[in-house]
Amino acid sequence: MAIRIGLPRGLLYYQYGSIWERFLQELGAEVVITGDTSKATLNCGSGLDEVCLPAKVYFGHIYELYKQVDYLFTPRIISVAAGQYTCPKIIGMPDMLRSNIDNLPPLIDVNLNLRQNSRSLYQAIITVGQMLGRNAISSLYAWYHAWQYRRLQQAVHFSKPNGQRIGLIGHPYIIYDQQISMNIIDKLNNFGIHVITPEMVSNRQAAIAAKTLGKKIFWSNGDHMAGAALALIQSGQPVDGLIFITSFSCGPDALIGELINQRAQALNIPCMLLTVDEHTAEAGFVTRLEAFTDMLIRRRQS
């Protein structure tokens, strides 16, 4: 029987999940992915203190998964770019899991640190392959196939439609988790708003715009989010407004949000901050979205 490897639908899954799944399948593993986040998922992880909502959700997915699999795929992603780090909760997640959940199956927690060593990715790929009984060549070949598959999936064509356009800025694990974000994209679409997320802005565009800040941001996700927001408001056809959605107690986002808000105000672009946690009420959330979109409509008409 194939080795069953659990892949929790949380945190960096929303950026790299498709390539991780394909890579593990190419190595001959059976990949078990948790379903969409639910209230039950959130309740499972809500007992943790002093961590943000996405981390609690990740724990909830682990609780739903860990008794069904032989391994849990929880790589320690330290850095994905030179001179930058990922979030501390992502770096320390394997240790947090071991400290808080008993009887875990073995974790595939290989280190990835491109800040110090550009070959770290290949070393991690080979290590994962060895854990599953594959040699270096077959492991690298499996990664190549997975990467090509992901590139095909990510062929997104950005368009500039008529009507209201809002840049929705936030981490993918917040924006695309419908439980955490309260399905914000569909809500805005129902208001007649076209939503543009950071993933719709190319890395090159975001990097160029981020340079106008004068100092490089140390967090890779934060750097792209800030660059994407600036690219959207500084372009020849800027968006009508920005919404920055973050989770309560996220320190890096507090800085990024303030930088984005200052630039938006300087360019007379409306910007709203939405902070979510497990106690956020959907009624108040929707009311704020309605008020913001109504303001944009009146602004355009005047």
Side-chain angles (χ1 to χ4, degrees), residues 5 21 36 142 158 171 188 192 198 239 283:
I5 299 180
E21 179 185 6
D36 293 334
F158 175 67
H171 296 282
L188 289 170
V239 292

Side-chain angles (χ1 to χ4, degrees), residues 75-295:
R76 193 187 301 274
I77 311 295
I78 299 170
S79 172
V80 295
Q84 293 181 332
Y85 288 101
T86 61
C87 174
K89 66 175 174 282
I90 292 172
I91 298 173
M93 184 54 68
D95 300 322
M96 292 171 62
L97 292 174
R98 290 190 178 98
S99 299
N100 289 277
I101 303 178
D102 295 328
N103 302 317
L104 279 174
L107 302 185
I108 300 178
D109 60 344
V110 292
N111 286 2
L112 177 64
N113 188 356
L114 298 184
R115 186 178 190 273
Q116 294 182 345
N117 184 353
S118 60
R119 294 176 295 177
S120 176
L121 173 61
Y122 304 109
Q123 293 168 349
I125 291 167
I126 292 170
T127 301
V128 174
Q130 289 173 340
M131 294 178 70
L132 301 180
R134 296 303 185 94
N135 60 35
I137 300 259
S138 60
S139 299
L140 293 170
Y141 191 68
W143 182 262
Y144 172 77
H145 272 273
W147 186 259
Q148 293 298 324
Y149 175 74
R150 181 177 186 249
R151 288 182 64 185
L152 291 174
Q153 280 192 324
Q154 288 190 327
V156 177
H157 300 285
F158 175 67
S159 60
K160 296 182 178 179
N162 295 324
Q164 299 288 325
R165 298 186 305 130
I166 284 181
L168 178 62
I169 308 301
H171 296 282
Y173 51 76
I174 293 179
I175 292 176
Y176 299 115
D177 187 313
Q178 295 186 3
Q179 182 68 38
I180 295 178
S181 71
M182 299 190 184
N183 206 8
I184 187 173
I185 293 179
D186 284 349
K187 283 181 170 63
L188 289 170
N189 288 337
N190 290 336
F191 294 154
I193 302 293
H194 180 75
V195 178
I196 306 171
T197 65
E199 289 68 48
M200 298 178 184
V201 179
S202 71
N203 291 335
R204 180 177 178 275
Q205 287 176 303
I208 292 173
K211 288 181 180 178
T212 64
L213 291 172
K215 184 175 182 180
K216 191 171 181 63
I217 297 172
F218 294 112
W219 305 286
S220 50
N221 269 4
D223 184 58
H224 183 78
M225 284 161 48
L230 296 181
L232 291 175
I233 63 178
Q234 294 174 174
S235 66
Q237 292 181 299
V239 292
D240 297 287
L242 287 178
I243 295 176
F244 186 80
I245 183 168
T246 182
S247 62
F248 180 74
S249 79
C250 181
D253 276 10
L255 172 63
I256 302 301
E258 182 59 27
L259 291 173
I260 292 173
N261 185 52
Q262 290 178 4
R263 289 300 181 93
Q265 286 185 351
L267 295 170
N268 197 27
I269 302 289
C271 181
M272 178 173 69
L273 172 66
L274 286 177
T275 304
V276 295
D277 63 13
E278 59 266 43
H279 306 297
T280 302
E282 186 169 3
F285 187 87
V286 172
T287 299
R288 293 195 65 191
L289 289 181
E290 289 177 335
F292 188 71
T293 54
D294 286 346
M295 179 269 295

